[in-house]
Amino acid sequence: MAKKIPTRLYLSEDEIPKFWYNLRADMKEKPDPILHPGTLQAATAADLEAVFCKEPVKQELNDTDRLIPIPAGIQEFYTAYRPAPLVRAYFLEKALGTPAEIYYKHEGTNTSGSHKLNSAAAQAFYAKEEGLTSLTTETGAGQWGSAMAMAAAFYGIKLTVYMVKVSSEQKPYRKSLMETYGASLIPSPSDTTEAGRKILEQDPNTGGSLGCAISEAVETAVKTDKCRYVLGSVLNHVLLHQSIIGQEAKAALDKFNVKPDIIIGCAGGGSNLGGIIAPFMGEKLAGKSDTRFIAVEPASCPSFTRGRYAYDFGDTAKTTPLIKMQTLGNGFIPSANHAGGLRYHGMNSVLSKLYHDGFLEARAEVQTDVFDAAVQFAKIEGILPAPESSHAIKAAIDEALECKRTGEKKVILFGLTGTGYFDMSAYMAYNAKTMSDHIPTDEELARGFATIPDIPQNA
Ligand SMILES: *Cc1c(COP(=O)(O)O)cnc(C)c1O
């Protein structure tokens, strides 16, 4: 007889995965290589090591090893907050009156409040091992900066965070959280870099942007001795670290012989989505399952559903290597009114390839619908979700309601990537009914597409 499935499908501490799963090893069709922006040849480890730490660079370029051991020093840190709970959403199922089974993997139980700590820990550990003394990074909404500050404090490495100026003004508590963990916070653009000074000269009152903060953080890393730059999404090594989400979820579900029919994740740069789907997508690529995978993005920044599949820069200053990805163009400026950290013009290359090849679906949701779902979830399941995570909640609810209509008893798994305690200004706007939806016009998108580099590979 089948065991009754508990509300929380816990794993024990020694069941935390000891390996990350590298989905690229199981892709027959690999994503196109990262290109050096000068030579337009495949970027080498030496090219990337000027900016990034050595071990993550190896992981970035590795599309052959399936399982990559998690070093003991990272496993140790993971025990501080993992395994993350996998929850059966019995309350939500009942409230919706759906025959579907709904599960969510809750990555918001650590102090930084999101899944980003999984990669922050790995990147800080490798930096320390390599003998570096400091790191730089940027943060927009603040979750990545918070996660890096925690990891840098644990491994004893200095951290400078360029925080988009408007965010540092709107989110003073995020700023103090990072400072409490010992990070140096610099509102971007700043006068500490050439990139920042140049932007300030053009527009002294600018609120900054993620692209500009990236340029400042990279410049400082390159100019400082024993210092490198770390990034919290988009790149393949970040997805690799996040595969722990999917592996834990799969291990917990396997104990009860539960096989998801639909897996849903919100998509900014793609790291949580790439992480939660990894082992399940591996089975699908091997022909062993027929799971559907759904990426949910904001309608204000629709890199999957309205983007182009092309080589593009990762930053607005056009300094990074070129990545073949779903992109709105490096010059695309998403509407500032959309809450949360899904405002990035591009998308991870593995996910872009899977989307292009028909293995991954995508949909875009407007902000007020997403917050309707967030508040519904908060009241029913008791957890205040991050605005980003609520995109996945919205799609999970819609799929569960579709099951109600058809009578199908599907199994739905989604990623609850974080909590929304530092996003109260967005909830305030929602409650006050001042929140608005922005869907870019075709003309707005065309301005972004015009910034995609005109290189032979894009012809
Ligand atoms: C950063 C963030 C995201 C989006 O980033 P991905 O790399 O696409 O996963 C989603 N949810 C939360 C809570 C975040 O902090």
Side-chain angles (χ1 to χ4, degrees):
M1 210 180 80
K3 276 184 274 186
K4 155 124 174 50
I5 294 166
T7 306
R8 290 178 165 239
L9 294 78
Y10 279 119
L11 296 174
S12 66
E13 188 171 305
D14 45 80
E15 289 171 307
I16 301 176
K18 309 275 185 292
F19 295 85
W20 289 303
Y21 169 59
N22 184 11
L23 177 62
R24 280 170 288 161
D26 286 334
M27 289 170 74
K28 282 175 207 101
E29 297 244 358
K30 311 285 183 200
D32 293 330
I34 300 174
L35 300 182
H36 185 288
T39 62
L40 300 184
Q41 301 296 310
T44 62
D47 294 335
L48 299 175
E49 281 167 8
V51 176
F52 298 102
C53 302
K54 285 201 172 78
E55 199 59 35
V57 164
K58 270 193 213 153
Q59 296 170 348
E60 189 63 30
L61 299 174
N62 184 342
D63 54 14
T64 48
D65 297 322
R66 293 185 71 242
L67 295 176
I68 297 187
I70 303 175
I74 300 173
Q75 287 186 36
E76 186 192 6
F77 183 82
Y78 281 168
T79 61
Y81 68 101
R82 304 201 71 81
L86 180 73
V87 183
R88 171 80 185 265
Y90 280 116
F91 298 131
L92 183 61
E93 290 171 17
K94 194 170 157 204
L96 297 174
T98 176
E101 290 179 23
I102 308 174
Y103 299 83
Y104 57 88
K105 182 75 171 155
H106 185 6
E107 289 290 328
T109 59
N110 69 79
T111 291
S112 75
S114 84
H115 67 287
K116 292 201 171 71
L117 193 54
N118 301 329
S119 185
Q123 297 195 51
F125 170 85
Y126 287 128
K128 187 74 183 177
E129 275 243 310
E130 194 183 322
L132 303 175
T133 51
S134 64
L135 291 170
T136 68
T137 196
E138 78 293 327
T139 199
Q143 288 97 318
W144 170 245
S146 305
M148 264 318 295
M150 286 177 72
F154 185 82
Y155 291 106
I157 199 153
K158 282 201 308 202
L159 176 71
T160 300
V161 182
Y162 287 90
M163 186 168 188
V164 178
K165 197 194 273 167
V166 276
S167 304
S168 74
E169 285 160 7
Q170 283 165 359
K171 293 190 162 186
Y173 295 144
R174 273 280 172 208
K175 189 165 173 274
S176 356
L177 176 68
M178 290 181 254
E179 286 171 340
T180 302
Y181 279 93
S184 307
L185 258 283
I186 303 180
S188 166
S190 73
D191 60 9
T192 65
T193 64
E194 268 171 42
R197 285 190 294 269
K198 205 163 138 195
I199 289 165
L200 283 175
E201 250 168 52
Q202 288 161 4
D203 183 3
N205 297 319
T206 174
S209 70
L210 208 52
C212 166
I214 294 176
S215 308
E216 289 204 273
V218 170
E219 182 183 325
T220 301
V222 172
K223 286 184 178 163
T224 310
D225 193 34
K226 294 198 170 152
C227 180
R228 290 291 184 281
Y229 164 74
V230 286
L231 183 65
S233 185
V234 189
L235 295 176
N236 294 332
H237 64 269
V238 184
L239 260 76
L240 177 73
H241 304 152
Q242 296 299 354
S243 67
I244 195 159
I245 305 172
Q247 282 178 291
E248 276 188 10
K250 189 163 187 309
L253 290 173
D254 280 349
K255 286 192 177 182
F256 295 91
N257 204 20
V258 175
K259 305 265 174 250
D261 298 299
I262 304 175
I263 303 180
I264 299 168
C266 62
S271 74
N272 86 84
L273 176 67
I276 196 170
I277 70 173
F280 301 98
M281 182 62 88
E283 292 197 330
K284 174 152 171 156
L285 294 179
K288 290 186 198 147
S289 85
D290 200 21
T291 309
R292 280 174 61 204
F293 301 92
I294 307 174
V296 192
E297 61 186 8
S300 62
C301 192
S303 35
F304 274 123
T305 52
R306 295 173 71 197
R308 298 238 170 107
Y309 187 49
Y311 270 106
D312 196 8
F313 291 99
D315 68 332
T316 330
K318 303 182 195 267
T319 57
T320 66
L322 293 163
I323 300 177
K324 179 79 174 276
M325 58 184 173
Q326 285 292 132
T327 181
L328 296 166
N330 59 74
F332 177 77
I333 315 237
S335 134
N337 80 359
H338 199 103
L342 302 179
R343 287 183 301 239
Y344 184 69
H345 66 272
M347 186 54 61
N348 167 264
S349 65
V350 172
L351 295 178
S352 297
K353 175 75 178 158
L354 291 168
Y355 178 71
H356 189 72
D357 291 351
F359 292 105
L360 173 68
E361 302 167 35
R363 64 180 68 162
E365 299 290 352
V366 297
Q367 179 161 240
T368 49
D369 289 351
V370 165
F371 272 80
D372 286 344
V375 170
Q376 188 181 3
F377 182 83
K379 287 176 179 165
I380 295 168
E381 285 287 323
I383 298 168
L384 184 83
E388 297 89 347
S389 321
S390 306
H391 291 72
I393 295 174
K394 163 80 173 111
I397 290 175
D398 285 349
E399 289 299 322
L401 290 175
E402 178 62 13
C403 287
K404 182 177 178 177
R405 201 180 62 76
T406 60
E408 281 175 292
K409 195 179 174 323
K410 287 192 179 152
V411 175
I412 300 168
L413 166 67
F414 73 88
L416 183 70
T417 51
T419 49
Y421 304 129
F422 289 107
D423 297 287
M424 295 322 295
S425 57
Y427 278 96
M428 281 161 74
Y430 175 78
N431 292 333
K433 300 197 166 31
T434 56
M435 180 173 270
S436 60
D437 295 323
H438 180 75
I439 302 177
T441 61
D442 288 341
E443 291 72 46
E444 279 175 77
L445 292 188
R447 282 200 289 278
F449 293 144
T451 63
I452 295 174
D454 186 11
I455 58 171
Q457 284 86 343
N458 279 343

